[in-house]
Amino acid sequence: KRKYSSYSLATNIFFNKILDLKKTILINGGFHYSNAKRNHSPEIFVQNVNLNNSLLDLGLDFEIIKNFHFLYGYKAINSRGLDYFSVRDNNFTISSFEKFEIDMNHTVNSIGLKYDFTKRSSLLLNYQYVKCNYEMSNLSFIINQFFILAQIKF
């Protein structure tokens, strides 16, 4: 027996349009959830699959003064459960399956300032804090990074 479900919800709310303001005030968000289940017969000695994934995404774009924006973003990714990956040989034929168990949470926080020179060019100063934790292993890490991004769209 197999069952797969997936749900998504996303929105952008332009408060500047609601309040009739000239400067951008945008709040956006989204959520995605998926689940995979497969029940196996007891004769094949394989554990049942039950894998859950979720993604939460939030953002803010606040125009402080004309063309100068304060930005904030948050993303959380969670994955828990058990599934199987196919193992392929040199001919790309599936030769076996490898069990994959995961209990992971990953978060990204980002804060920045952006200046729009034109509609097609901008400069972004950004700081990100990334935290990743894998409960079933010793693989956990934190990344703090600052970057400058000059963007020109052709």
Side-chain angles (χ1 to χ4, degrees), residues 63 66-69 114-119 121-123:
E63 189 174 10
K66 185 173 171 66
N67 298 327
F68 188 68
H69 299 254
K114 180 179 82 163
Y115 185 76
D116 293 321
F117 296 104
T118 68
K119 289 185 179 184
S121 64
S122 62
L123 181 68

Side-chain angles (χ1 to χ4, degrees), residues 19-113:
L19 301 172
D20 198 28
L21 301 172
K22 292 182 181 179
K23 294 183 180 80
T24 302
I25 304 172
L26 167 63
I27 295 179
N28 54 35
F31 181 76
H32 176 79
Y33 172 81
S34 64
N35 172 266
K37 288 185 178 184
R38 289 190 306 277
N39 294 329
H40 301 105
S41 66
E43 298 87 43
I44 63 172
F45 303 106
V46 175
Q47 286 180 278
N48 292 333
V49 169
N50 188 359
L51 183 63
N52 297 292
N53 297 293
S54 66
L55 172 82
L56 174 66
D57 195 9
L58 301 170
L60 169 69
D61 179 351
F62 181 76
E63 189 174 10
I64 301 167
I65 57 175
K66 185 173 171 66
N67 298 327
F68 188 68
H69 299 254
F70 169 79
L71 305 172
Y72 175 76
Y74 174 79
K75 188 174 295 258
I77 304 167
N78 296 295
S79 186
R80 287 183 182 77
L82 180 137
D83 202 348
Y84 291 89
F85 289 138
S86 57
V87 178
R88 298 179 182 267
D89 62 18
N90 292 338
N91 297 322
F92 208 65
T93 304
I94 296 174
S95 59
S96 67
F97 293 92
E98 185 174 318
K99 186 168 85 169
F100 174 73
E101 290 185 270
I102 190 164
D103 187 356
M104 180 273 298
N105 54 48
H106 187 137
T107 58
V108 179
N109 283 283
S110 180
I111 191 167
L113 296 171

